């Protein structure tokens, strides 16, 4: 049937921040949905709190509300926009839960809003375990024996019928949240696939699903890949797809690393090959964990093993972990039979026989007298990388590549067409295989290659994919052919309609060089995809590959601490005392020279990987070995740690001659918390005008000295009125989407234009980019999915996503950000305070403000005594080790509505951690820094004094007036 004409305005709910279990795949789904609805002529209203996504670009939907995705705030949007329908199926569990809440409380009926895609009855039936089971039984489908329970006694009674082991999981959750496997009586007490399937088959499920929601049937819709077959044509594959999850346990060493029914991965890579072996090995190297394929770790610890005897391996294989696939290789190589491995792991023997054949192939290749083209091709068809082959022959990787190229052994590129080659594909969506026939036509000098950011991970997430998408769209608008290389199936950059050509390939030197050799592009863009492309810059340049934008040498100056030191001195910019070390003894000497505490970190890392603050020589010696392993070819960086400093971030764009500052942000948490984990505000609310101007001036000086062409991010610390530079990054930063949404200026898109020769003057970019209100970015963490992890923040990044609050005042913007991050703030009740001695002078005036608002204050002995001595009434509560009832008891019983806690030192570390963990489990908001506590106070005052209002990004940006510049001039200049 044709599309519905009784609908005109459709509300689409996004999924909010990226979290474990609800990731970037919903940005992909939502973006496709918006495009599909607009194609059909509908006005689209979008609500999503995530600024890092393409979905919340103001150019996509007609009205874009970056507001909390909660029933209360979505109701305000409905009241304002009066949509005809609500599409809840593209925003993950968040959107479904909010839609159901609005249906139950009468909001949808009151405003005449129809649920499309799935009505309330269908959602209830699919999400409620009991109703789902009944529905399946009605249509004759068998389901596992199970029961729905509402209490521990009910659960124990159900176990008598169900039996152990049993899967326990709550209704209306995604990613297995709160779920697990119970093996005994004590334990009961205690959309992602849509994106993968679309990328794996080429069938755009979200796009088609959206059009079905507005009335179409499958046979009425064309397949956008072939343009000749209908959407009712079932995809047929002539290739194999392997998806490999990426974990982040290195960021959470105390977390339970066992894999269960509760999702713990933070991202994924996808690989395509003609055989399972080929796709499997490509998938492992696409993870970017330092393994070039199916290769065991350098040490037993790398594979989470304590021994490598057959018995040790057999025992280890019974526990699912991220490293089990490598344990399997050790086990097979040690002689453990396939049947024994299958019994220990539960993995189908077919896969294990495939893996056994890979081991046999390795032995054969390693023992060859000479290697010819046929042997190389044979190994490459099984997915072996040049790095692996070099290791098997004990020669440098470059030697293997030179031999392979000399013998003419190169990959061919095959098309993903949804129909196994039966119909031609109109969309160049490609993967490599060592076949004879090549289905890719080179773009030549019209082509520009963009290196994507690979699998999402902590430190390199969807915000870098955002920059890659903007680059791709800008180059197309400027008349170039955009060639995207990426391995992430969750993201918008790997959608079929973003680039002229998409290569679904690992981001390694070997894979990128082969594509560049075939395509012969005018250049390669490395500054949009985060650290992954940056690491390839020097090797690509050494191979003669032209790099667009900022020069590789300038990138190296910024990344190489010794060269950077020289630049900072030459420009006369203040920097914390620092040094570099390539050995433990060197590190000790540097630390003694500059004084403790010191911040120690490897060079060329992102997300604060292996970064730590150390206070004495013993801690330094202990940490140095761990830090040095992250990037052994680069020295370890040691900086004097500036305690109690404010930090600031500056994003800028330059064309080689002129630099424009996009935004100056202030971190809300003090120095010592990674910039990606700290809340930040634009414009700054506590940094003085003189310091802001100094940061702007330094940023422009760095841009000029480095010859930056494209994006630039500079991080500063301010202590005692002095501005210190911490680091300079001549690339896209994770705050670029946030700044772009706040100012209405698409920085990444403009950066692409300057990379191919446009000037900022030609683009009409003014010297100042005003913000029409106050924007706050808040980080979101995976602590609820990782039991046993302390929630205290530090220099190593641990957040998985972010949200944005936009309002006329700082207090309301911060409040919106907290609500969007699932941190509802209390308007009354009890606040529990326990802080260290150095924070007591700061906490007193903050707690006094809470007391004056009517909050009851309880505090541990030292804090309570300090507060009472300064006229702030505070009741004493016991610490955990002091007896009962203590702070934890108050939290568990619901008598605490907000926790303010800063670490009290080694002796009470266990107490602090347990208190914070209890607050997390019982959904009590907490802060671990004084600046965040003060901001929370401002937010509560704002929420108590007035009702929050909603406003679309388009309306915010209309308020921005720039002298001599009509609205949207910079955006239009890119297209001109």
């Amino acid at each position: 049937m044709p599309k519905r004409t009784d609908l005109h305005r459709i509300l689409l709910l996004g999924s909010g921040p990226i979290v474990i279990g609800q990731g970037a795949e919903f940005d992909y789904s939502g973006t496709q949905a918006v495009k599909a609805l607009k194609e059909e002529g509908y006005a689209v209203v979008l609500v999503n709190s995530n600024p890092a996504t393409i979905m919340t670009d103001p150019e996509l939907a007609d009205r874009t509300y970056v507001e909390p995705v909660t029933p209360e705030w979505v109701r305000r949007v409905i009241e304002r926009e009066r949509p005809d329908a609500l599409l809840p199926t593209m925003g993950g569990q968040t959107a479904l839960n909010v839609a159901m809440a609005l249906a139950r409380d009468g909001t949808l009926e009151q405003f005449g809003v129809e649920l499309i895609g799935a009505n309330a009855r269908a959602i209830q039936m699919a999400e409620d375990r009991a109703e789902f089971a009944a529905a399946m039984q009605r249509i004759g489908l068998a389901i596992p024996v199970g029961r729905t329970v509402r209490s521990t006694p009910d659960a124990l009674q159900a176990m008598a019928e169900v039996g152990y082991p049993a899967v326990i999981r709550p209704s209306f959750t995604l990613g297995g949240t709160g779920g697990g496997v119970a093996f005994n009586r004590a334990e009961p007490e205690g959309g992602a696939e849509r994106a993968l399937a679309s990328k794996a088959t080429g069938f755009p499920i979200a796009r088609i699903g959206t059009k079905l929601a507005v009335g179409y049937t499958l046979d009425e819709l064309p397949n956008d890949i072939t343009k000749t077959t209908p959407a009712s044509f079932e995809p047929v594959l002539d290739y194999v797809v392997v998806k490999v999850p990426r974990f982040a346990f290195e960021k959470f060493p105390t977390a339970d690393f066992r894999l269960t029914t509760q999702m713990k991965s933070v991202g994924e890579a996808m690989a395509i090959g003609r055989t399972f072996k080929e796709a499997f090995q490509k998938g492992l190297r696409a993870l970017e964990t330092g393994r070039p394929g199916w290769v065991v770790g350098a040490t037993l610890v790398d594979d989470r093993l304590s021994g490598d005897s057959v018995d040790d391996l057999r025992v280890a294989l019974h526990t699912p972990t991220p490293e089990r696939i490598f344990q399997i290789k050790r086990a097979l190589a040690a002689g453990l039979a396939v049947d024994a491995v299958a019994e220990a792991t539960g993995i189908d023997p077919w896969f294990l026989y495939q893996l056994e054949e890979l081991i046999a192939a390795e032995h054969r290749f390693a023992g060859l007298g000479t290697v010819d083209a046929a042997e190389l091709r044979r190994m490459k068809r099984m997915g072996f990388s040049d790095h692996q082959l070099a290791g098997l022959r004990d020669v440098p990787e470059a030697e293997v590549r030179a031999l392979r190229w000399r013998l003419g052994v190169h990959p061919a590129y095959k098309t993903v067409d949804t129909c196994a080659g039966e119909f031609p594909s109109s969309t160049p969506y490609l993967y490599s295989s060592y076949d004879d026939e090549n289905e890719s036509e080179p773009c030549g000098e019209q082509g520009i290659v963009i290196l994507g950011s690979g699998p999402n991970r902590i430190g390199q997430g969807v915000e870098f994919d955002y920059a890659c998408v903007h680059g791709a769209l800008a180059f197309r608008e400027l008349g170039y052919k955009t060639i995207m290389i990426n391995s992430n199936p969750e993201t918008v950059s790997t959608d079929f309609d973003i680039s002229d050509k998409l290569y679904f390939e690992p981001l390694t030197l070997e894979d990128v060089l082969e594509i560049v050799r075939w395509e012969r592009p005018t250049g390669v863009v490395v500054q949009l995809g985060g650290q992954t492309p940056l690491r390839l810059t020097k090797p690509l340049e050494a191979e003669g590959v032209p790099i667009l934008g900022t020069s590789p040498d300038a990138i190296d100056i910024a990344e190489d601490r010794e060269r950077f030191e020289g630049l900072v001195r030459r420009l006369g910019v203040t920097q914390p005392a620092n040094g570099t070390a390539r050995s433990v003894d060197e590190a000790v000497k540097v630390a003694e020279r500059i004084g403790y505490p010191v911040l120690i970190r490897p060079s060329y890392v992102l997300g604060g990987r292996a970064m730590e603050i150390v206070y004495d020589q013993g801690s330094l010696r202990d940490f140095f070995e761990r830090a040095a392993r992250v990037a052994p070819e680069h020295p370890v960086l040691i900086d004097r740690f500036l305690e109690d400093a404010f930090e600031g971030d500056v994003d800028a764009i330059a064309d080689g001659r002129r630099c424009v500052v996009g935004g100056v942000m202030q971190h809300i948490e003090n120095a010592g918390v990674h910039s990606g984990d700290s809340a930040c505000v634009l414009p700054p609310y506590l940094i003085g005008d003189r310091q802001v101007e100094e940061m702007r001036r330094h940023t422009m000086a760095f841009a000029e000295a480095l010859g930056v062409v494209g994006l630039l991010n500079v991080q500063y610390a301010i202590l005692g009125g002095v501005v210190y530079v911490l680091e300079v990054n001549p690339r896209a930063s994770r705050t670029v989407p946030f700044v772009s949404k706040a100012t209405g200026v698409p920085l990444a898109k403009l950066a692409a234009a300057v990379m191919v020769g446009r000037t900022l003057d030609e683009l009409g970019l003014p010297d100042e980019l005003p913000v029409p209100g106050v924007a706050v970015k808040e980080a979101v963490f995976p602590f609820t999915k990782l039991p046993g992890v302390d929630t205290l923040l530090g220099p190593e990044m641990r957040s998985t996503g972010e949200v944005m609050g936009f309002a006329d005042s700082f207090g309301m913007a911060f409040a919106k950000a907290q609500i969007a991050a699932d941190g509802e703030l209390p308007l009354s009740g009890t606040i529990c305070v326990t802080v260290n001695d150095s924070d007591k002078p700061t906490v007193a005036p903050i707690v006094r403000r809470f007391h004056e608002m009517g909050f009851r204050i309880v505090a541990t002995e030292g804090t309570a005594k300090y507060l009472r001595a300064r006229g702030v009434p505070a009741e004493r509560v016991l610490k955990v080790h002091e007896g009962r009832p203590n702070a934890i008891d108050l939290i568990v019983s619901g008598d605490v509505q907000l926790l303010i806690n800063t670490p009290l030192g080694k002796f009470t570390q266990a107490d602090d951690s347990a208190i914070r963990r209890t607050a997390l489990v019982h959904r009590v908001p907490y802060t671990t820094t004084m600046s965040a506590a003060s901001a929370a106070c401002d937010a509560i005052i704002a929420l108590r004094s007035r009702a929050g209002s909603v406003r679309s990004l388009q309306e915010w940006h209309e308020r921005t007036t720039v002298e001599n510049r009509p609205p949207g001039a910079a955006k239009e200049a890119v297209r001109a």
Side-chain angles (χ1 to χ4, degrees):
M1 63 186 199
K3 73 172 186 181
R4 292 179 58 175
T5 56
D6 59 325
L7 303 178
H8 305 284
R9 200 170 189 81
I10 296 177
L11 172 64
L12 181 69
L13 299 184
S15 60
I18 304 296
V19 295
I20 291 177
Q22 192 166 270
E25 63 273 12
F26 293 106
D27 180 34
Y28 154 78
S29 299
T31 300
Q32 279 294 312
V34 174
K35 290 179 181 177
L37 291 172
K38 291 193 73 172
E39 276 179 13
E40 298 300 330
Y42 297 107
V44 180
V45 178
L46 172 72
V47 182
N48 197 7
S49 56
N50 191 338
T53 61
I54 291 296
M55 186 199 299
T56 51
D57 261 358
E59 296 175 338
L60 198 64
D62 296 282
R63 290 290 196 195
T64 307
Y65 286 85
V66 181
E67 303 285 356
V69 189
T70 65
E72 177 187 358
W73 290 88
V74 173
R75 178 187 172 93
R76 290 171 181 165
V77 174
I78 290 174
E79 192 170 1
R80 199 165 187 263
E81 292 288 347
R82 304 298 173 105
D84 301 303
L86 189 163
L87 180 61
T89 54
M90 300 295 164
Q93 197 68 47
T94 297
L96 289 177
N97 290 353
V98 169
M100 287 299 290
L102 293 171
R104 290 192 189 105
D105 71 11
T107 296
L108 300 185
E109 183 179 3
Q110 177 185 350
F111 292 101
V113 181
E114 178 186 349
L115 278 177
I116 60 173
N119 60 31
R121 178 73 188 122
I123 296 171
Q124 178 71 25
M125 191 180 299
E127 296 290 327
D128 185 282
R129 301 297 177 190
E131 291 199 30
F132 177 76
M136 294 304 99
Q137 288 167 344
R138 283 196 299 272
I139 61 175
L141 292 180
I143 58 172
V145 176
R147 293 289 177 267
T148 299
V149 298
R150 289 176 171 80
S151 68
T152 298
D154 287 350
L156 293 171
Q157 186 175 347
M159 289 301 183
E161 183 179 347
V162 173
Y164 294 99
V167 173
I168 302 173
R169 52 184 175 173
S171 301
F172 289 91
T173 62
L174 190 69
T177 300
V181 180
F183 292 92
N184 56 55
R185 184 178 174 81
E187 289 176 304
E189 301 179 37
E193 302 311 316
R194 178 190 293 150
L196 174 71
S198 296
K199 305 297 171 64
T201 65
F203 188 89
I205 297 174
R207 176 184 171 81
I208 298 297
T210 301
K211 298 210 172 189
L212 296 178
V214 295
Y216 285 109
T217 55
L218 283 170
D219 58 310
E220 294 174 320
L221 298 170
N223 180 322
D224 291 292
I225 298 291
T226 64
K227 302 290 187 187
T228 57
T229 57
S232 54
F233 190 101
E234 185 176 327
V236 181
L237 311 186
D238 57 355
Y239 49 83
V240 177
V241 179
V242 171
K243 181 198 82 168
V244 190
R246 168 137 185 175
F247 298 89
F249 288 112
E250 75 278 3
K251 299 273 188 179
F252 308 98
T254 61
D256 182 356
F257 54 81
R258 294 171 297 176
L259 306 184
T260 66
T261 58
Q262 179 162 297
M263 185 173 170
K264 295 179 179 179
S265 61
V266 295
E268 64 193 29
M270 188 182 99
I272 310 175
R274 301 296 275 186
T275 66
F276 167 72
K277 294 187 189 77
E278 183 177 38
F280 170 72
Q281 295 228 74
K282 286 173 70 176
L284 288 176
R285 74 174 182 260
L287 278 184
E288 300 175 29
T289 56
R291 307 210 194 212
W294 192 39
V295 176
V296 299
T299 68
L300 290 174
V301 173
D302 291 336
D303 293 336
R304 213 175 287 276
L305 291 167
S306 56
D308 59 355
S309 70
V310 169
D311 288 340
D312 290 332
L313 292 165
R314 195 193 307 269
V315 170
L317 290 177
H318 279 88
T319 303
T321 69
E323 295 77 22
R324 183 156 74 165
I325 195 66
F326 305 107
Q327 295 171 358
I328 288 172
K329 183 167 189 178
R330 288 181 183 268
L332 292 173
L336 206 61
V338 163
D339 288 346
V341 175
E343 183 183 358
T345 62
I347 295 174
D348 190 296
W350 184 90
F351 293 105
L352 298 175
Y353 282 119
Q354 295 284 308
L355 299 181
E356 195 175 50
E357 289 172 14
L358 286 176
I359 294 175
E362 288 183 355
H363 289 315
R364 183 177 181 280
F365 186 79
L368 289 174
T370 57
V371 177
D372 59 18
E375 292 294 345
L376 278 173
R377 194 173 295 278
R378 178 176 177 273
M379 295 298 283
K380 299 304 279 186
R381 283 176 172 167
M382 287 188 278
F384 286 97
S385 64
D386 288 347
H387 191 290
Q388 285 172 281
L389 298 181
L392 293 172
R393 304 288 294 182
D394 197 23
V395 298
E397 179 183 350
E399 187 176 313
V400 172
R401 182 153 43 250
L403 172 64
R404 184 167 58 76
W405 284 39
R406 191 165 62 248
L407 295 174
V409 179
H410 296 286
Y413 295 102
K414 318 295 286 186
T415 304
V416 171
D417 54 19
T418 79
C419 55
E422 189 175 339
F423 299 94
S425 171
S426 67
T427 304
Y429 173 12
L430 304 149
Y431 67 95
S432 70
S433 187
Y434 278 78
D435 279 8
D436 295 326
E437 183 186 2
N438 201 322
E439 298 173 2
S440 174
E441 287 295 324
C443 289
E445 291 186 358
Q446 266 195 304
I448 291 178
V449 169
I450 296 178
L451 301 187
S453 54
N456 284 356
R457 73 212 71 170
I458 291 175
Q460 189 168 292
V462 69
E463 59 273 15
F464 293 102
D465 193 75
Y466 166 95
C468 291
V469 170
H470 270 266
L473 297 175
F475 289 133
R476 290 178 84 174
E477 290 176 7
L478 291 166
Y480 292 92
K481 297 286 187 183
T482 307
I483 302 162
M484 182 71 66
I485 306 176
N486 206 356
S487 60
N488 190 339
E490 300 179 277
T491 56
V492 176
S493 72
T494 52
D495 213 355
F496 71 94
D497 59 354
I498 294 298
S499 303
D500 295 282
K501 296 178 88 167
L502 167 64
Y503 284 91
F504 228 109
E505 292 292 297
L507 286 152
T508 69
L509 179 63
E510 173 186 344
D511 296 288
V512 172
L513 276 178
E514 289 290 355
I515 294 169
V516 170
R517 182 198 73 85
W518 179 254
E519 288 289 350
R520 303 187 302 278
T522 194
V524 174
V525 175
V526 298
Q527 65 171 269
L528 300 179
Q531 206 67 29
T532 291
L534 278 193
R535 284 201 188 101
L536 295 175
T537 304
K538 289 176 75 174
L540 287 172
E541 184 192 35
E543 295 287 342
V545 175
I547 305 297
L548 294 182
T550 305
S551 72
D553 186 60
I555 293 171
D556 188 65
I557 291 172
E559 294 280 353
D560 184 296
R561 181 47 60 110
E562 291 166 344
R563 299 187 72 191
F564 180 65
E565 287 269 325
L567 174 66
V568 171
R569 281 196 302 270
R570 182 161 56 84
L571 294 178
V573 179
T574 307
Q575 189 181 19
N578 62 81
T580 59
R582 291 176 171 83
S583 70
V584 178
D585 292 338
E586 282 185 23
V588 169
K589 288 178 183 176
V590 170
E592 287 175 349
R593 173 174 58 82
I594 65 179
Y596 291 97
V598 297
L599 183 66
I600 180 171
R601 56 182 168 162
S603 52
Y604 277 97
V605 297
L606 194 65
R609 179 68 195 100
M611 186 186 292
E612 196 168 297
I613 301 165
V614 295
Y615 289 83
D616 52 53
Q617 186 183 130
S619 302
L620 178 64
R621 287 184 177 276
D622 173 64
F623 183 74
F624 186 85
E625 298 298 330
R626 288 179 284 134
R629 285 198 62 195
V630 176
E633 70 276 17
H634 295 291
V636 166
L637 315 178
I638 303 170
D639 296 89
R640 171 76 191 199
F641 175 57
L642 303 176
E643 289 190 282
D644 298 322
F646 280 115
E647 289 196 14
D649 250 283
V650 179
D651 278 324
I653 181 172
D655 60 11
R657 292 173 293 280
R658 180 173 166 238
C659 174
V660 171
V661 170
V664 179
M665 294 152 278
Q666 180 191 331
H667 296 185
I668 291 174
E669 276 78 17
N670 286 359
V673 174
H674 190 278
S675 61
D677 285 352
S678 174
C680 74
V681 57
L682 176 66
Y685 75 125
L686 291 178
I687 300 175
D689 290 345
R690 184 180 67 78
Q691 285 81 21
V692 169
E693 184 53 39
E694 190 173 344
M695 287 191 285
R696 293 174 62 91
R697 195 168 61 249
H698 289 338
T699 301
M700 293 179 182
F702 281 121
E704 182 181 0
L706 292 169
V708 171
V709 178
L711 294 168
L712 175 71
N713 172 264
V714 188
Q715 294 184 17
Y716 298 96
I718 300 95
L719 182 63
V722 179
V723 174
Y724 298 84
V725 65
L726 300 180
E727 57 184 71
V728 175
N729 301 298
R731 56 161 172 81
S733 72
R734 63 179 58 86
T735 49
V736 160
F738 169 69
V739 174
S740 297
K741 305 290 167 70
T743 62
V745 177
L747 294 176
K749 203 169 190 179
L750 298 175
V754 302
M755 284 184 227
V756 291
R758 303 296 291 273
T759 68
L760 295 179
D761 289 341
E762 290 171 342
L763 296 172
L765 204 60
D767 292 328
E768 298 277 343
L769 302 185
V771 181
V774 179
V776 170
K777 178 176 79 73
E778 179 60 286
V780 177
F781 300 90
F783 299 132
T784 56
K785 293 284 177 63
L786 301 172
V789 172
D790 191 357
T791 60
L792 192 65
L793 303 180
E796 176 146 358
M797 186 173 168
R798 303 167 92 190
S799 58
T800 57
E802 64 191 51
V803 294
M804 176 175 171
F806 213 170
D808 285 314
S809 70
F810 170 74
M812 185 57 74
F814 188 81
K816 284 186 176 185
Q818 297 309 302
I819 294 166
D822 200 23
E824 197 86 32
L825 293 169
L827 301 186
S828 61
T830 299
I831 297 176
C832 180
V833 187
T834 170
V835 299
N836 61 40
D837 288 343
S838 64
D839 285 330
K840 284 169 184 168
T842 310
V843 83
I846 297 171
V847 175
R848 181 177 286 109
R849 292 166 69 198
F850 280 119
H851 166 67
E852 289 168 354
M853 283 191 279
F855 282 91
R856 172 189 173 217
I857 308 299
V858 299
T860 51
E861 183 177 19
T863 305
K865 191 179 296 183
Y866 187 93
L867 292 171
R868 288 197 296 265
R870 282 147 188 83
V872 181
E875 303 169 31
R876 184 192 170 193
V877 63
L878 298 178
K879 297 176 184 177
V880 178
H881 69 274
E882 291 175 338
R884 310 284 293 269
N886 54 45
I888 285 181
D889 295 318
L890 288 185
I891 294 170
V892 171
S893 61
D895 293 330
V896 172
Q897 282 65 53
L898 176 67
L899 170 67
I900 300 174
N901 169 253
T902 59
L904 298 170
K906 294 180 180 178
F907 297 108
T908 55
Q909 191 171 10
D911 270 19
D912 288 343
S913 178
I915 291 170
R916 289 190 292 268
R917 188 78 212 175
T918 304
L920 177 77
V921 170
H922 291 272
R923 299 180 63 81
V924 173
Y926 62 90
T927 72
T928 58
T929 64
M930 291 299 93
S931 49
S934 178
C937 190
D938 290 338
I940 290 169
I941 291 170
L943 289 170
R944 283 165 56 116
S945 63
R946 61 189 184 281
S949 61
V950 294
R951 186 180 293 140
S952 69
L953 281 185
Q954 290 83 358
E955 292 168 294
W956 278 113
H957 298 158
E958 284 167 10
R959 292 177 55 175
T960 305
T961 55
V962 181
E963 193 175 340
N964 299 324
R965 180 174 76 105
K971 300 175 192 175
E972 294 302 321
V974 175
R975 303 188 182 98

